[in-house]
Amino acid sequence: MTDTTRTDAAPARHRHQAGPAIAILRGGNGEHVDDVVRTLVEAGVRAIEITTNTPGWREGIASAVERHGSAATVGVGTVLDPRQLDEATALGASFAVSPHTDAAIGERAHERGLGWYPGAATPTEIVRAWQLGARAVKVFPAAQLGGPAFLRQVLAPLDFVDVIPTGGIGIDDACDYLDAGAVAVGLGSPLVGDALTSGDLDALRTRAERLVAAMRR
């Protein structure tokens, strides 16, 4: 029987290298990515994920790494093809996130030295992703699966797996997922709002500061 616990396990819970909150930038028109990243980093968010279905995602990652690489970890999201990892690595990305688990993507991420966070929903999928070498498993869509209560139940027997719940997580319940055992949480629209489309940075800053303050408490 294979031992699913790994000697190269990720850092302790609540101390993940990507930080306790990962801001997910998805969509928009590509015009406000730089300003949104800057606002998030200034507010204290230290992990930025720019998805491949965001217009100008390549330029966005390159700019975020160049301008904020010393203050934040920048990654690529919605990776559906291993070739996207080659581009992201060249741009300076540090981690890669997928909505699903694909062994070929995981292998390429390992070759490129990227932290790999594949998506999974069931206990079987979560363990399989971990066995394939995930740095942490993206539990998705977390809120629809049952929220912190679901996560707590799953991690009772799977306490050797580091997880990053994502999907439907709001600012006010983000810490509940950490308390349930997550190493970090991914927040998209509840944090970013319409800033990628409207450029409303004041509202974004308010939400980001409220999130960071809650996690510090």
Side-chain angles (χ1 to χ4, degrees), residues 29-53:
N29 52 27
E31 296 180 6
H32 304 293
V33 172
D34 286 349
D35 289 336
V36 168
V37 172
R38 173 178 53 80
T39 300
L40 288 166
V41 174
E42 289 177 352
V45 177
R46 297 295 181 235
I48 307 293
E49 173 191 336
I50 301 177
T51 68
T52 62
N53 54 357

Side-chain angles (χ1 to χ4, degrees), residues 127-140:
V127 172
R128 180 57 176 161
W130 186 251
Q131 291 173 330
L132 287 172
R135 180 78 57 80
V137 180
K138 170 183 174 177
V139 176
F140 172 80

Side-chain angles (χ1 to χ4, degrees), residues 84-112:
Q84 293 171 324
L85 296 181
D86 299 333
E87 295 183 86
T89 302
L91 296 169
S94 298
F95 64 91
V97 186
S98 293
H100 68 312
T101 296
D102 182 325
I105 292 175
E107 183 176 355
R108 187 71 60 86
H110 179 72
E111 292 172 354
R112 296 292 179 259

Side-chain angles (χ1 to χ4, degrees), residues 132-163:
L132 287 172
R135 180 78 57 80
V137 180
K138 170 183 174 177
V139 176
F140 172 80
Q144 290 73 16
L145 287 169
F150 169 82
L151 195 66
R152 187 173 287 106
Q153 290 295 319
V154 167
L155 290 180
L158 304 183
D159 58 355
F160 54 88
V161 180
D162 286 346
V163 299

